Amino acid sequence: MRGLRSSRVLSTVLIIVTLLFVIRQPATAADTATKIFNWLTKAIDGLVVFASSLG
């Protein structure tokens, strides 16, 4: 139960920090979200290329 409680607290803190970031600096938050999405897309594309080259 202790692990569940700490993960719930951590997720709540991350959500609060994210909301404050979006409210206080929306342009920077949008830029950051775009960069994260682009990185995620590249990572998934790399995994697809790797998996397709296996055979």
Side-chain angles (χ1 to χ4, degrees):
M1 282 300 209
R2 184 178 173 112
L4 179 64
R5 184 174 301 209
S6 65
S7 81
R8 187 177 297 172
V9 169
L10 181 62
S11 63
T12 303
V13 168
L14 286 175
I15 289 171
I16 291 171
V17 168
T18 302
L19 285 174
L20 287 174
F21 182 57
V22 168
I23 291 170
R24 293 178 54 105
Q25 299 176 351
T28 307
D31 186 46
T32 302
T34 302
K35 288 179 182 179
I36 290 172
F37 183 74
N38 286 339
W39 176 84
L40 186 62
T41 304
K42 288 179 185 178
I44 292 172
D45 187 42
L47 286 174
V48 168
V49 168
F50 174 74
S52 66
S53 69
L54 290 177

